[in-house]
Amino acid sequence: MGIASRLGRAELDRAAADLASAGVAIVPGVLTESEAASAMEHLWAASAASEARGIPAHIVGLDPNASNVRVFNLLDLDPLFVDLVFHPDAEAIVGELLGHDLDRKST
């Protein structure tokens, strides 16, 4: 068993509901300002690496404009995002939706 989530029941319920309805959940305080800035730098670097592989970050006809940036295979491009997927709070939120007995595969 990993480190326990720091989220309370109300935060967990709200985040799980947001994720279920909107496909995204904003959970304040999970990352520090510095960690969030670093993750953004990693994201832009991963986008450049993906484009270097020949995978476009913008798909005409699918994306509304060039400001909509996609990064496919993000977990393959930077291990930081693997760490974020397995963050205790992220696992707790996903567990609320999919069940807490998911089999965690090694990466």
Side-chain angles (χ1 to χ4, degrees), residues 7 9 11-27 88-102:
L7 298 177
R9 173 53 41 200
E11 292 173 299
L12 208 55
D13 290 344
R14 182 173 37 257
D18 289 349
L19 186 58
S21 66
V24 64
I26 298 171
V27 185
D89 293 340
E91 285 190 321
I93 294 165
V94 171
E96 289 296 307
L97 295 176
L98 301 179
H100 293 281
D101 60 347
L102 294 174

Side-chain angles (χ1 to χ4, degrees), residues 24-75:
V24 64
I26 298 171
V27 185
V30 172
L31 300 178
T32 66
E33 189 174 325
S34 174
E35 290 169 329
S38 176
M40 191 61 119
E41 290 174 13
H42 283 256
L43 181 59
W44 284 116
S47 178
S50 181
E51 286 187 296
R53 291 179 174 182
I55 303 168
H58 173 73
I59 301 172
V60 177
L62 182 59
D63 296 322
N65 57 53
S67 296
N68 193 75
V69 177
R70 295 174 185 271
V71 183
F72 295 96
N73 301 316
L74 185 56
L75 302 181

Side-chain angles (χ1 to χ4, degrees), residues 71-82:
V71 183
F72 295 96
N73 301 316
L74 185 56
L75 302 181
D76 178 50
L77 292 165
D78 192 316
L80 169 70
F81 298 100
V82 174

